[in-house]
Amino acid sequence: MYIWFTVVAGLALLSISLLGTFCPHLGEDCAYILASLKLGLRLFKYKSSKPFYSVLDCFLDAVKRHPTKVFVHFEGREYSYGDMDKRSNKVARALQAEARLKEGDSVALFLANEPSFVWTWLGLAKLGCPAALLNFNIRSKSLLHCFSCCGAKVLIASQVRRFLSNCILLLLTVHDDDDDDDDDDDLLSSTVEGLPKAAVVTHERVWAASFIQAVCGVTSEDIFYINLPLYHSAGFLIGMIGGMERGITIVLRRKFSASQFWDDCRKYNVTVMQYIGETMRYLCNTPRKDGEKNHRVRIAIGNGVRTDIWSEFLNRFGDIKVRELYAATEGNIGFINYTSKIGAVGRVNFVHRFFFPYTLIKFDTEKEEPVRNSEGLCIEAATGETGLLVGRVTRRSPFVGYAGNQQQTEKKRLRDVMKKGDLYFNTGDLLWFDDMKFVYFQDRVGDTFRWKGENVATSEVADILTMANCIFEANVYGVKVEGHEGRIGMAAVTLQEGEDFDSLHTYKQVVNYLPAYARPRFLRIQPCLEMTGTFKMKKVKLVEEGFNPAHIEDPLYFLDPEKKMYVPLTEDIYRAIACRDIKL
């Protein structure tokens, strides 16, 4: 393996030197390739060591180097590396004594963004217990589903008011003894988001995600700002675990606040921030102030920002190196835009493609399936043409799958792509490459869309809608709204025979069982739902038609949170949404 790294590094340098005069991004390409090879070699050494050198080992080494260095700032309190180590030992001992945990037992964490999340995870790591990070917004059926999928013996939460049937609950006092804050969310106070898939994350994948900070130029002297949920891979793997790998100081917030963002950055001398597309938009929508470029933030790491928002963010807040990513927790292929090219999510280079082989294939958006030739093989998309991104499954780039869900795992596997018998991971995403080798994200396909930085499963939303007394069938999809990232939820529905649309009961149904980001804000009542020849619901035309009542004859409804019901979508409401007088 070491020889491979040496050979590839040499070939990379030779090729880059020969092509330098034709490549305006030569320096950046060279730096990225060398950094990637160096980190790859480190990972190989970690895997080869006996026992495996883990993130926990890395954290403990950091504790030895600088035990008094602040690891986490949180709501006016400081927690050093040494503090985290001691508190994690306390958690480990409590779990051993009270829950009788042993090495290999899985534990589910149902915690908000707070320091206890970090030291609890570290305590579990010291016991050798895999941790399942549950979305803090789920409850009821979805929470039980996640709990059963991960095979956890114990569920750890900040506070518990009601017990869940068939679950063993352990309430740990993971806060400080002198912490009298009673503002923590309750275990069952949020709403369900459907039936999420649990991605299996190996030690190797944890390391790979943590290296993103290093690739982006983060050093041990930086101060990293996390306001994304720690149950997400971005907040936890890239942010928190990446911070451990770098040995840096982290500023942790319970949730994102646009009004307090820059004040926090100035207060703590933040140099690196995380974002999703909505984060950037919210910051750009805040009232302008004097001295907005008066801060020390130099790097922004994230994904999903629109080109216009990206440009506005830089013009308003200064020369910040935006490192836009494309990746999936369970996927075997990802990109990073290390050049700051506005709008791109990465670049194509042969070293990256050698270790993580991928391709773009032609995709039929109407049939929602890859286009195949007469031999039954997929067809590669041309430069500039939108295609489905697929990553070849190899030993270096595996697809582990989803815990306790073989059916969903199999749906992500695509066979006979470039040749008979090969196996690829289907990302479900449409991308395109330009002639300068930049990579651009186009859209999602299939059964999910993204809104407010969260993935929404259309089938699960449809299940909730059809539980309403008046609704017979539901076809859920996402539609674009001018000035917003991603797609907002909409559904075409048919009514039960002899029933009128019950706007109040339908509203209660979606509010009781879906989090805000997954609730369909627009409903379209149809006499019947169009199907494909293979009996799949047609979505493309519905997506294109959107929700403009001037162009749609079917009755349209809008979820009005103030009136607590679905109301007829009038042209006045449509214009108010377009002018952003109504917030979505």
Side-chain angles (χ1 to χ4, degrees):
M1 188 68 175
Y2 180 82
I3 295 175
W4 271 113
F5 276 110
T6 304
V7 171
V8 173
L11 290 174
L13 288 174
L14 176 60
S15 300
I16 289 173
S17 64
L18 292 174
L19 297 173
T21 55
F22 305 101
C23 181
H25 300 283
L26 170 64
E28 293 159 310
D29 288 336
C30 183
Y32 171 76
I33 290 172
L34 291 178
S36 299
L37 290 171
K38 181 179 178 181
L39 292 170
L41 182 57
R42 276 182 56 192
L43 180 56
F44 173 72
K45 290 180 177 179
Y46 293 165
K47 290 170 60 178
S48 301
S49 64
K50 303 295 182 182
F52 184 94
Y53 184 79
S54 68
V55 169
L56 175 62
D57 297 317
C58 179
F59 170 77
L60 294 176
D61 286 343
V63 172
K64 293 176 183 177
R65 289 196 307 272
H66 39 66
T68 61
K69 181 176 181 177
V70 175
F71 180 28
V72 175
H73 286 286
F74 181 76
E75 297 184 347
R77 303 198 62 176
E78 298 179 352
Y79 301 89
S80 69
Y81 276 81
D83 290 335
M84 281 288 176
D85 185 38
K86 292 175 183 177
R87 292 169 189 270
S88 64
N89 288 338
K90 179 180 178 181
V91 168
R93 288 193 294 267
L95 285 169
Q96 275 187 320
E98 302 297 329
R100 299 179 181 177
L101 286 181
K102 60 182 183 299
E103 184 176 355
D105 289 339
S106 296
V107 176
L109 297 188
F110 193 66
L111 300 171
N113 274 29
E114 53 192 33
S116 62
F117 192 115
V118 185
W119 65 62
T120 301
W121 182 85
L122 285 168
L124 292 171
K126 290 178 177 181
L127 294 176
C129 294
L133 313 184
L134 305 189
N135 186 327
F136 196 65
N137 295 313
I138 62 175
R139 63 173 178 132
S140 185
K141 178 183 177 182
S142 189
L143 179 57
L144 287 171
H145 164 79
C146 291
F147 193 83
S148 62
C149 276
C150 67
K153 290 184 61 177
V154 171
L155 176 66
I156 300 179
S158 297
Q159 294 182 9
V160 179
R161 283 188 176 176
R162 289 191 294 165
F163 289 94
L164 300 174
S165 60
N166 302 322
C167 292
I168 303 171
L169 290 182
L170 172 65
L171 176 59
L172 271 179
T173 307
V174 290
H175 299 284
D176 296 329
D177 294 337
D178 59 344
D179 186 354
D180 59 358
D181 176 34
D182 59 359
D183 291 332
D184 292 332
D185 291 319
D186 298 324
L187 178 63
L188 298 178
S189 63
S190 300
T191 51
V192 66
E193 65 158 5
L195 299 178
K197 300 186 290 290
V200 177
V201 183
T202 63
H203 277 288
E204 184 175 356
R205 194 169 292 269
V206 170
W207 270 122
S210 74
F211 286 158
I212 289 176
Q213 285 196 29
V215 170
C216 292
V218 178
T219 73
S220 61
E221 303 302 314
D222 280 303
I223 298 177
F224 198 101
Y225 189 73
I226 298 179
N227 50 48
L228 302 181
L230 289 179
Y231 60 75
H232 273 186
S233 56
F236 187 70
L237 296 180
I238 298 176
M240 189 61 67
I241 301 299
M244 293 181 189
E245 191 277 329
R246 297 280 83 188
I248 62 176
T249 295
I250 288 170
V251 179
L252 179 66
R253 276 195 66 97
R254 288 188 186 275
K255 59 182 180 179
F256 172 76
S257 170
S259 62
Q260 298 178 38
F261 183 90
W262 293 111
D263 290 339
D264 278 349
C265 289
R266 296 183 185 98
K267 177 180 178 180
Y268 294 105
N269 293 317
V270 170
T271 57
V272 186
M273 60 172 280
Q274 272 190 300
Y275 71 88
I276 54 174
E278 288 294 293
T279 301
M280 294 286 209
R281 185 172 68 84
Y282 292 147
L283 291 175
C284 289
N285 284 345
T286 56
R288 290 183 177 273
K289 299 178 181 179
D290 293 334
E292 289 187 325
K293 296 181 180 179
N294 181 24
H295 58 77
R296 297 181 59 188
V297 177
R298 64 186 188 90
I299 298 174
I301 303 173
N303 69 283
V305 60
R306 291 203 324 263
T307 299
D308 57 335
I309 298 296
W310 189 333
S311 298
E312 183 180 354
F313 179 82
L314 296 180
N315 291 334
R316 184 168 167 182
F317 300 111
D319 185 21
I320 299 173
K321 304 300 182 186
V322 177
R323 297 298 182 242
E324 176 82 355
L325 305 170
Y326 168 83
T329 305
E330 73 276 29
N332 66 348
I333 179 61
F335 298 99
I336 180 170
N337 182 359
Y338 48 85
T339 69
S340 295
K341 167 78 171 179
I342 293 178
V345 300
R347 273 176 67 75
V348 175
N349 71 68
F350 73 92
V351 175
H352 181 225
R353 208 162 191 170
F354 174 80
F355 286 105
F356 306 100
Y358 60 86
T359 190
L360 289 184
I361 58 175
K362 292 179 182 289
F363 187 80
D364 188 324
T365 55
E366 186 68 34
K367 296 181 180 179
E368 293 192 350
E369 61 184 31
V371 177
R372 294 183 180 269
N373 60 22
S374 59
E375 297 177 352
L377 300 177
C378 296
I379 304 170
E380 191 168 1
T383 298
E385 180 183 13
T386 298
L388 177 69
L389 177 66
V390 293
R392 185 150 59 90
V393 178
T394 68
R395 190 173 67 175
R396 284 194 303 266
S397 57
F399 168 53
V400 181
Y402 304 107
N405 199 331
Q406 185 59 33
Q407 181 180 6
Q408 289 294 337
T409 298
E410 190 58 34
K411 283 178 65 175
K412 281 291 189 178
R413 290 173 175 153
L414 193 62
R415 292 177 168 81
D416 300 334
V417 177
M418 293 290 101
K419 62 181 182 180
K420 293 293 183 180
D422 63 13
L423 179 64
Y424 280 71
F425 169 73
N426 180 357
T427 67
D429 292 326
L430 299 177
L431 288 82
W432 61 280
F433 303 155
D434 69 10
D435 55 6
M436 292 293 291
K437 303 299 183 182
F438 282 102
V439 183
Y440 300 86
F441 177 83
Q442 184 73 22
D443 206 351
R444 289 199 163 209
V445 298
D447 299 328
T448 64
F449 60 89
R450 196 165 180 85
W451 179 248
K452 300 291 186 182
E454 298 278 2
N455 293 329
V456 180
T458 59
S459 59
E460 307 307 336
V461 176
D463 287 344
I464 298 300
L465 279 172
T466 53
M467 289 170 63
N469 296 333
C470 63
I471 295 179
F472 177 59
E473 288 181 306
N475 185 5
V476 179
Y477 49 95
V479 293
K480 290 195 173 185
V481 183
E482 186 67 27
H484 292 72
E485 308 289 343
R487 296 177 181 270
I488 195 169
M490 184 170 181
V493 302
T494 60
L495 302 179
Q496 296 281 2
E497 186 175 354
E499 292 284 341
D500 293 326
F501 178 61
D502 189 335
S503 60
L504 181 59
H505 183 262
T506 305
Y507 171 85
K508 290 180 179 179
Q509 185 70 23
V510 299
V511 168
N512 286 339
Y513 291 99
L514 293 170
Y517 61 80
R519 297 168 191 164
R521 297 301 299 269
F522 307 104
L523 294 182
R524 179 175 178 172
I525 312 297
Q526 293 191 301
C528 63
L529 299 182
E530 283 193 85
M531 299 287 183
T532 67
T534 54
F535 302 102
K536 292 182 180 179
M537 292 180 179
K538 289 187 175 182
K539 299 179 188 283
V540 175
K541 184 179 179 182
L542 293 171
V543 170
E544 292 175 349
E545 291 176 345
F547 58 95
N548 189 341
H551 301 154
I552 297 173
E553 295 182 358
D554 296 326
L556 296 174
Y557 288 85
F558 171 66
L559 188 155
D560 190 327
E562 293 184 359
K563 294 184 178 180
K564 299 187 185 312
M565 63 187 301
Y566 278 96
V567 299
L569 177 57
T570 64
E571 292 192 36
D572 287 341
I573 292 177
Y574 178 82
R575 283 192 293 268
I577 293 171
C579 296
R580 304 189 194 180
D581 292 333
I582 293 179
K583 293 184 178 180
L584 299 175

